[in-house]
Amino acid sequence: MTSVLAGVAIAVTSGLLGWFVVLRRQVFAGDALGHVALPGALAAAVLGVDVRLGLLVATVGLGCLLALLGERARADDVTIGSTFALVLGAGVFLLARLAAESGRGGAPARRAEDGAAAARSLFGSIVGIGRADALVATAVAGGVAVAVVAIARPLLVASLDPDRAAARGVPVRLLGFVFLGLLGAAAGQAGQAVGALLALGLLVAPAAAAHLLTRRPFLGLTLSAAIAAVSTLAGLGISAVAAGVPGSAAVILCACLAYGAAALLGRLGRAPVSRSAGRRRPPSSRCSAGTPPGAGSGARRWSRPAGPRAR
Amino acid sequence: MLAELLAYPFMVNALLAGTAVAVTAPVLGWFVVLRRQSFVAHTLGVLAFPGAAGAVFIGLPAAVGYYAGAVTGAAVLARGPDTAGESARTGVVHAAALACGLLLARLYSGMLPQTTSLLFGSFLGISRAQVQLTALVGVLVLAVLAAVWRPLTLVSHDRALARSRGVPVTALDTLALGLVAMVVAAASGVTGALLVFALLVTPAATARCLTSRAVVGVPVAVAVAVTVTWGSLAAAFVTDTPPGGYLATASFVAYAAALVVGRVRR
């Protein structure tokens, strides 16, 4: 029961943050932060520190690092890729080290056990979360969710039009920094629930579905959180009924199905919607870069003109 | 030391396959960096995982699955430049692929130790046939790249100009992704599905920190990748750990050094 509660809390947080991740096109950063949970957890295991702590330190740390490396606290995709290849590489070392340490006992069976442990940290298991862990996860997820809601409005303005936001005195760089830090915390939590590799799904799939269904920010945020929570419940239900289906995979597949359904709905409903809401957005495709300025108020405009290229 | 290394046939195979990948991947990586498709490339690499898991599940060799998974992914994702909706869709495909991979691996069961080698690479299990396949794919990819080099460069730099000149933009986009899929599948066997980056993107990014001219940059990228590959395979052999970790670390060090050098020169 507590694990279901934790799963839903984590899903809601991921849904909220994920909405901004998709809006700010930081999907790749979210992916990298999710993956970092693996070496974080492994490093904690090698050092003998609490695994949850290692996981959070690693994800929040990398979030801040990516914010530092990027211009205006948004990292470039090559930087993200190289950094996270490095981090996963470190994970491989730690994995081998752990295997070697427990392998000193001599039995190959223990090695297989380590493989299973590694697979668990990669792919997670919601059902396996203990009561105390679940309570901590719920608390952290709740804190992150409250923080996101608190900064939602300035973050929205800063994401949609950084120049205008900066001119109005919104601390764009600081917000980017805080956002990546929060994203790190959320990815760490999601990593605990569905695993380091699948955290991305919980962050992106419900949010992408919400973006397809509505462009109103606060409705979208709510919808994203709701889709994430419902997919988590449905996934857990499926894995409880069908033996052999891992819970994390079921959760992610449910979220991806929601995205597929939203894409279908969007395609079916596009013609009437664009007629009735024509004044709100230009009739061109939904994410054309370079929407003419003044095509909607700042908050309603979906796409930003492409920023200056880094190199 | 070297003689001892080369005395083992599996080590020779690993070195040959690694070299083939290290020569091919950075050349293509040059375009991946230019086109800012790192995330798509990573996703294609990840798609190799459910491909391999599925192939093993229905009783085919894992290598078939690598290629099938990556090429299917390229077909799904081949849609123009990376916009907000686009990268979200890539992310969804990515997550769905991993979830399917996990599901298949779990249904097959007993594959858990192999899961890590699928994801992080191994230098032990490379057969002579795999070396030949890797070399063949490498030659093929390089030949196609040489044939479309100029139009592909134009498309990657300026789509509008390319389109107005009558260059088949969409076809080239799809072709580029298909090539990435092939190389990623080939590299997965050496570096593992998650660390393909270390050979595909990082060496090319290293070279691009130093120069933006392809004539100089591509050979530099290949040199970096080959050096890194040989060094990591040797280190992996000596310390008995998967080579992926050394590969990722060494190429990151090269990238960071080039970044600093590039900053200083500018």
Side-chain angles (χ1 to χ4, degrees):
Chain A
M1 197 57 226
T2 38
S3 71
V4 173
L5 181 70
V8 170
I10 289 170
V12 167
T13 311
S14 305
L16 289 177
L17 267 170
W19 194 84
F20 283 106
V21 171
V22 172
L23 183 70
R24 295 165 66 88
R25 304 182 196 187
Q26 290 185 320
V27 179
F28 196 23
D31 180 39
L33 287 175
H35 289 355
V36 166
L38 165 75
L42 287 173
V46 167
L47 292 173
V49 194
D50 186 64
V51 170
R52 283 163 295 172
L53 190 70
L55 203 130
L56 265 185
V57 168
T59 49
V60 176
L62 186 82
C64 294
L65 181 72
L66 286 180
L68 274 181
L69 287 175
E71 140 198 33
R72 252 194 180 143
R74 283 170 192 241
D76 173 55
D77 66 338
V78 171
T79 319
I80 299 173
S82 310
T83 313
F84 104 82
L86 170 78
V87 165
L88 276 179
V92 178
F93 279 129
L94 292 166
L95 205 63
R97 170 102 193 262
L98 267 184
E101 267 179 14
S102 58
R104 237 168 258 155
R110 296 198 61 174
R111 231 185 148 126
E113 209 172 88
D114 279 324
R120 210 175 309 127
S121 61
L122 281 171
F123 292 113
S125 66
I126 301 185
V127 193
I129 295 185
R131 199 184 154 78
D133 280 359
L135 287 178
V136 171
T138 313
V140 172
V144 172
V146 168
V148 176
V149 172
I151 63 164
R153 190 165 275 282
L155 184 61
L156 184 67
V157 179
S159 308
L160 286 168
D161 195 338
D163 293 326
R164 195 180 297 176
R168 279 198 192 163
V170 176
V172 175
R173 205 182 147 77
L174 179 70
L175 273 174
F177 209 85
V178 170
F179 176 70
L180 276 179
L182 286 175
L183 183 57
Q189 291 305 313
Q192 213 172 21
V194 293
L197 288 181
L198 294 178
L200 175 75
L202 212 49
L203 273 175
V204 172
H211 272 281
L212 284 179
L213 291 174
T214 177
R215 55 191 51 225
R216 290 172 53 194
F218 290 96
L219 182 63
L221 274 169
T222 319
L223 203 59
S224 170
I227 294 174
V230 171
S231 337
T232 304
L233 289 175
L236 285 177
I238 290 173
S239 76
V241 174
V245 176
S248 44
V251 169
I252 299 305
L253 285 177
C254 282
C256 292
L257 276 182
Y259 172 80
L264 267 182
L265 263 180
R267 197 156 287 178
L268 289 179
R270 189 170 298 161
V273 166
S274 66
R275 227 180 295 137
S276 65
R279 68 202 149 77
R280 212 176 264 175
R281 55 174 163 169
S284 60
S285 73
R286 67 202 134 80
C287 0
S288 62
T291 315
S297 69
R300 294 238 170 84
R301 213 175 67 207
W302 233 71
S303 50
R304 299 174 284 110
R309 296 246 150 143
R311 215 170 277 135
Chain B
M1 168 71 211
L2 193 65
E4 186 192 339
L5 207 95
L6 295 177
Y8 295 94
F10 67 81
M11 222 33 227
V12 176
N13 282 352
L15 277 171
L16 286 176
T19 310
V21 171
V23 170
T24 319
V27 183
L28 191 61
W30 185 262
F31 284 103
V32 172
V33 174
L34 195 64
R35 299 162 66 85
R36 310 184 151 260
Q37 286 187 320
S38 309
F39 187 41
V40 177
H42 174 52
T43 299
L44 289 179
V46 164
L47 275 159
F49 169 55
V56 173
F57 184 60
I58 57 174
L60 291 170
V64 176
Y66 276 139
Y67 288 96
V71 172
T72 313
V76 173
L77 292 172
R79 305 261 182 95
D82 199 52
T83 58
E86 209 74 43
S87 74
R89 188 172 62 202
T90 311
V92 174
V93 170
H94 185 127
L98 280 172
C100 287
L102 172 63
L103 192 62
L104 288 167
R106 196 57 67 81
L107 287 179
Y108 181 68
S109 77
M111 216 183 81
L112 277 181
Q114 275 181 48
T115 306
T116 37
S117 90
L118 276 179
L119 291 171
F120 295 119
S122 141
F123 61 95
L124 286 174
I126 299 173
S127 64
R128 184 46 65 133
Q130 219 172 331
V131 173
Q132 285 160 352
L133 184 64
T134 310
L136 186 72
V137 169
V139 170
L140 205 71
V141 167
L142 287 181
V144 174
L145 264 186
V148 300
W149 190 278
R150 282 181 63 86
L152 190 58
T153 309
L154 182 60
V155 169
S156 309
H157 274 296
D158 192 337
R159 307 175 66 76
L161 180 63
R163 193 166 283 142
S164 74
R165 287 233 183 129
V167 176
V169 174
T170 318
L172 278 174
D173 281 340
T174 313
L175 180 72
L177 265 192
L179 291 181
V180 171
M182 298 296 282
V183 168
V184 159
S188 292
V190 182
T191 62
L194 284 179
L195 295 174
V196 170
F197 245 90
L199 286 182
L200 186 67
V201 172
T202 317
T206 306
R208 277 190 72 82
C209 287
L210 302 174
T211 174
S212 52
R213 287 172 58 208
V215 190
V216 188
V218 172
V220 169
V222 170
V224 169
V226 170
T227 316
V228 162
T229 307
W230 286 349
S232 340
L233 282 175
F237 173 75
V238 172
T239 57
D240 188 26
T241 39
Y246 294 104
L247 266 174
T249 313
S251 55
F252 182 80
V253 169
Y255 173 62
L259 209 61
V260 171
V261 170
R263 283 268 158 86
V264 168
R265 275 204 328 206
R266 211 174 301 154

